[in-house]
Amino acid sequence: MSDPVVKTRGRGQYRNEYVAALAATSSLVASVACAGWSSPALPVLRGPGSPIPITPDEGSWIVSLLSIGSLFGPIICGMFVDRYGRRPVLLFSAIPLVAGWLFIGFAQSIGMLYTARLLHGIGYGLAYSVTPIYLGEISSDAVRGSTGVLVTVMAKLAFLFEYSVGPYVGFRALAWISLALPMCFVALFFWMPETPYSLLARGNKQAAAASLRWLRRSNAIDEELARMEKLVLDSKRKGNPLRQLLMTSTNKKSLVIILLLSLGMQLTGINAILGYSQTIFSRLALPLTAAELSIILALVQLASVMLPTFLVDRAGRRPLLLVSTAGSLVGLATCAVYFTLDETTDDILSPEPGAAHGWIPFVGVLFFIVSFAIGLATVPFAILGEVFPKHIKAAANAVFAVITSAVVFSVVKLFQVISDGAGTYVSFWIFTGCTAVTGVLIYFVIPETKGKSFERIQEMMTHREKGNESERDGSDGVENKNHSVSSTFLKAMQSLLRTPHLIAPTIAVLMLVLLIPISSEVEIDCNSLRMGQYICPDPSLRQIDPKTQQLRGCTPENRARVWCIAVDGIVCSETKNTSFTREMPCKWTNGYHFDTALLLSVFLGMFGADRFYLGYPALGLLKFCTLGFMFLGQLVDVILIATQVVGPADGSAYIIPYYGPVITVVRSDNWTYRLPQDNW
């Protein structure tokens, strides 16, 4: 007699599972777009004509505050995901995302941007905490790896969106466009079912059966539903999930594995490289702009993470992780060597723009991104949904996300500090070293979970200590040796679990230690620099408005605050690098063009058109009624406007073409000091 499940579930048997997975992971497109936003936004905020001028240090806070906000997402998840279900909490994650984009859209100060980034972080942390749980509980064993990989695929799609749209629209326009992402997520996911496990845990067996029946596209669900019900009953008997996570030997081993993968992912520097991609690429003298290089980076990312979707359930988790770590190590080392030569030597790399070696760091970054994507970026989320029992999965996700957020904040914030104080090459050498250590730990600690059910994985973790489960190819002698080293690493890392709050501070202190001995530069208040010690405005920035030929941001007081650059060897206390801001004189313009005023005076001056244009309506009316004082007043105004003695009534200066006749009027009075000729 044929198996009814197999007969019922034929072609397209996993369609509904993939539909629900895609709808759920669209939350990651909405949330990860917040992380990608900083790459195109920072150059605008730090550049001329910024809607909210910021310093480099404020820019690093804008990037890193997302991680601080994301610390609260897992806490909210742990408190409510079991009480109210996976689906409502995931839908709720859209609220802080929407609020954050509204704050950016209406932002008038740096404080509003900080608030927006914290709100984005909360939504980001919630989405990343709940989505793996939802995917793990709706997916069959055969496709759990593929649906888990969707987490990273959708995240890279978000980066591509922000990198492609951001550089070509306005700062506020980008916020309004990005606002559509969480709205689309709500519209898609609202129609998806709750997970059967969550419904069973809340005593709604009928709804759980309906949900499972829709997901599996089959009526033969009784056996699987009974298995789920047994797991739910077992979980309720076992008590507090957080206590079970930290006190049970099997769960502690699983937690060590997940935390190792989390630390390994983030200490490669992936978030710092993505968050500052345009800033990093702006240092490369290549034919393409930094924005175009970032778009290429996002496209390569998206293409790369597609591959594990098909390989993770075929090649296995461990091989992908090891290949990924090795490739990431090569890419980061390439960038580290290049930036070392570029920043510490003058005669090895050619300073000519467009030199062939300028492509080396970009290719190194691409190789790192591809290598990272095929394993480190995708496999941990698949494993996260596999190694924990259902009843503690929410607690495990919360711990995982909190530790990850703390490490991401340390890495992203310190990247700017180390790069400005010691050099970009130091940051890349740190990332290279951390990646090498991660590869060694993965080889000795991470087990293979491909194709195993939850029950089988739990059994494997239980007997792992005794060496009864062998997942690696090779002889028994090699296996036993690897297992012995594995046990050592496991015990060492388990000891960290007793003080998990010390992990992120310890990493931060170690990274800061590397900053201490390096720089011979002097930090001073750059506003006290003398002429010749700085260039103002910074010629590398476009601070002259081509429409007015004046400094951008010129005020009615004829002053403008511009970015300047100090000479080599001086670090400004204002920004912790060689750039600083200074007020400079300028000519405030308000839309009055010199050539327009002069033409009106010559041809229509007898009707007062020139005076009306310049804002003198009374004189204009008088000229209109008297034909420009019988043309005599018209002649006088032509001379006065041509010599720029008469200007706009509001006190602004004329807008004069680049090669136009700019006249600077020099006046003197009784208080003017005249230097004797023989003392000149």
Side-chain angles (χ1 to χ4, degrees):
M1 183 175 178
S2 61
D3 189 343
V5 175
V6 175
K7 182 176 180 180
T8 304
R9 302 187 71 190
R11 183 178 180 182
Q13 57 184 328
Y14 304 116
R15 185 190 67 191
N16 288 358
E17 295 178 39
Y18 279 118
V19 169
L22 286 169
T25 52
S26 65
S27 66
L28 299 176
V29 177
S31 58
V32 178
C34 304
W37 169 86
S38 63
S39 181
L42 282 184
V44 175
L45 292 172
R46 293 179 59 178
S50 169
I52 306 174
I54 64 171
T55 64
D57 184 62
E58 289 171 337
S60 69
W61 278 109
I62 287 174
V63 177
S64 56
L65 278 175
L66 181 78
S67 303
I68 295 295
S70 65
L71 287 170
F72 298 97
I75 297 173
I76 297 173
C77 171
M79 294 172 59
F80 299 112
V81 75
D82 287 327
R83 181 179 301 178
Y84 298 106
R86 283 56 165 150
R87 179 176 169 274
V89 176
L90 191 53
L91 285 170
F92 176 80
S93 69
I95 295 178
L97 297 178
V98 170
W101 290 123
L102 290 175
F103 265 91
I104 292 177
F106 293 108
Q108 298 296 329
S109 66
I110 189 66
M112 294 185 71
L113 292 181
Y114 286 165
T115 303
R117 296 299 282 170
L118 287 171
L119 288 169
H120 280 166
I122 294 173
Y124 181 94
L126 259 179
Y128 255 114
S129 298
V130 181
T131 303
I133 301 175
Y134 186 88
L135 296 180
E137 294 182 357
I138 66 168
S139 303
S140 305
D141 292 343
V143 299
R144 194 185 307 118
S146 299
T147 56
V149 169
L150 281 175
V151 170
T152 306
V153 172
M154 302 300 268
K156 303 314 176 189
L157 189 63
F159 275 109
L160 176 61
F161 176 83
E162 293 293 327
Y163 287 2
S164 302
V165 176
Y168 305 107
V169 299
F171 173 77
R172 302 190 192 282
L174 179 59
W176 301 124
I177 293 171
S178 300
L179 178 63
L181 298 177
M183 307 295 285
C184 290
F185 154 66
V186 172
L188 289 172
F189 189 65
F190 182 81
W191 308 102
M192 296 300 108
E194 179 61 274
T195 70
Y197 285 99
S198 179
L199 292 168
L200 285 172
R202 288 179 286 146
N204 196 340
K205 185 176 180 179
Q206 185 176 358
S211 173
L212 188 62
R213 194 175 295 114
W214 184 85
L215 289 167
R216 301 296 185 257
R217 301 189 68 203
S218 170
N219 292 321
I221 57 155
D222 293 340
E223 183 179 347
E224 186 177 3
L225 187 64
R227 253 191 346 263
M228 291 182 180
E229 197 169 10
K230 181 177 180 298
L231 285 173
V232 169
L233 292 174
D234 289 342
S235 69
K236 289 183 178 179
R237 285 197 298 266
K238 290 177 180 177
N240 187 286
L242 186 60
R243 176 182 290 273
Q244 290 292 318
L245 175 65
L246 299 178
M247 301 302 295
T248 304
S249 175
T250 301
N251 295 332
K252 284 198 293 185
K253 293 174 187 175
S254 300
L255 185 59
V256 167
I257 289 170
I258 290 302
L259 293 184
L260 168 61
L261 292 175
S262 170
L263 292 172
M265 287 173 62
Q266 305 308 330
L267 292 179
T268 59
I270 182 65
N271 282 284
I273 292 173
L274 294 178
Y276 292 98
S277 63
Q278 283 200 37
T279 304
I280 295 172
F281 294 153
S282 65
R283 304 180 183 183
L284 308 180
L286 295 176
L288 300 178
T289 65
E292 292 167 341
L293 293 174
S294 296
I295 293 173
I296 295 174
L297 173 67
L299 286 170
V300 170
Q301 269 197 111
L302 183 60
S304 301
V305 296
M306 296 293 185
L307 191 59
T309 307
F310 306 102
L311 292 180
V312 71
D313 288 320
R314 294 177 174 83
R317 282 52 163 164
R318 268 175 54 83
L320 286 181
L321 284 173
L322 292 171
V323 171
S324 175
T325 306
S328 299
L329 181 64
V330 172
L332 290 171
T334 301
C335 295
V337 170
Y338 177 88
F339 285 119
T340 300
L341 296 176
D342 183 55
E343 296 179 20
T344 62
T345 65
D346 297 324
D347 54 352
I348 296 180
L349 299 179
S350 170
E352 292 296 326
H357 60 70
W359 289 100
I360 293 176
F362 181 64
V363 173
V365 169
L366 290 185
F367 192 78
F368 162 67
I369 291 296
V370 172
S371 301
F372 183 86
I374 64 174
L376 287 171
T378 53
V379 175
F381 294 102
I383 295 178
L384 181 62
E386 295 176 330
V387 297
F388 292 107
K390 297 291 187 297
H391 66 288
I392 65 169
K393 195 169 292 185
N397 273 274
V399 173
F400 169 81
V402 167
I403 298 297
T404 298
S405 298
V407 177
V408 170
F409 171 75
S410 301
V411 171
V412 172
K413 185 71 177 106
L414 289 174
F415 175 81
Q416 182 71 48
V417 175
I418 293 174
S419 297
D420 289 342
T424 305
Y425 70 96
V426 177
S427 299
F428 274 94
W429 278 120
I430 294 173
F431 296 152
T432 302
C434 291
T435 304
V437 174
T438 298
V440 174
L441 294 178
I442 286 174
Y443 180 78
F444 288 112
V445 175
I446 304 301
E448 180 60 79
T449 59
K450 180 187 74 170
K452 295 180 174 63
S453 64
F454 284 109
E455 295 82 359
R456 179 58 176 156
I457 293 171
Q458 290 301 297
E459 181 184 350
M460 180 186 70
M461 297 303 295
T462 301
H463 295 288
R464 182 175 172 79
E465 197 172 57
K466 301 176 182 179
N468 292 335
E469 181 69 20
S470 174
E471 298 298 330
R472 305 178 184 124
D473 295 333
S475 65
D476 292 341
V478 174
E479 182 63 34
N480 290 334
K481 181 180 178 181
N482 289 346
H483 181 266
S484 176
V485 179
S486 171
S487 299
T488 302
F489 276 113
L490 279 172
K491 290 178 181 178
M493 295 192 68
Q494 284 173 8
S495 65
L496 289 177
L497 292 177
R498 299 169 187 167
T499 56
H501 57 286
L502 297 179
I503 295 177
T506 301
I507 294 171
V509 170
L510 290 174
M511 296 179 74
L512 281 173
V513 167
L514 296 172
L515 182 61
I516 295 174
I518 300 174
S519 180
S520 60
E521 297 172 326
V522 179
E523 183 176 315
I524 63 173
D525 179 8
C526 287
N527 286 298
S528 63
L529 293 177
R530 298 181 178 181
M531 188 67 67
Q533 294 179 314
Y534 65 92
I535 300 175
C536 205
D538 185 349
S540 65
L541 301 176
R542 298 178 180 176
Q543 302 189 76
I544 303 296
D545 189 341
K547 296 180 180 179
T548 65
Q549 299 303 315
Q550 297 297 323
L551 291 170
R552 297 181 188 272
C554 189
T555 65
E557 291 76 26
N558 294 321
R559 307 289 294 178
R561 182 162 289 276
V562 298
W563 283 101
C564 309
I565 184 169
V567 298
D568 292 340
I570 295 178
V571 174
C572 302
S573 57
E574 175 188 355
T575 60
K576 307 303 180 185
N577 55 37
T578 58
S579 60
F580 65 101
T581 60
R582 176 186 288 266
E583 278 197 347
M584 290 191 65
C586 59
K587 292 183 178 180
W588 175 57
T589 60
N590 197 26
Y592 295 99
H593 291 263
F594 172 72
D595 48 4
T596 302
L598 186 58
L599 289 172
L600 288 174
S601 185
V602 171
F603 294 105
L604 297 175
M606 72 288 292
F607 302 117
D610 50 352
R611 289 288 182 167
F612 281 116
Y613 175 72
L614 293 175
Y616 302 96
L619 286 174
L621 183 61
L622 192 59
K623 288 178 69 176
F624 178 81
C625 295
T626 62
L627 281 180
F629 301 104
M630 298 305 294
F631 301 102
L632 181 61
Q634 178 188 7
L635 178 61
V636 171
D637 273 352
V638 169
I639 297 173
L640 292 177
I641 291 174
T643 57
Q644 299 173 28
V645 174
V646 171
D650 59 6
S652 62
Y654 284 117
I655 297 175
I656 298 178
Y658 186 77
Y659 295 105
V662 179
I663 295 177
T664 300
V665 178
V666 179
R667 296 181 175 89
S668 66
D669 54 25
N670 291 334
W671 296 99
T672 303
Y673 177 78
R674 295 175 177 82
L675 187 68
Q677 182 74 35
D678 56 357
N679 291 336
W680 280 19

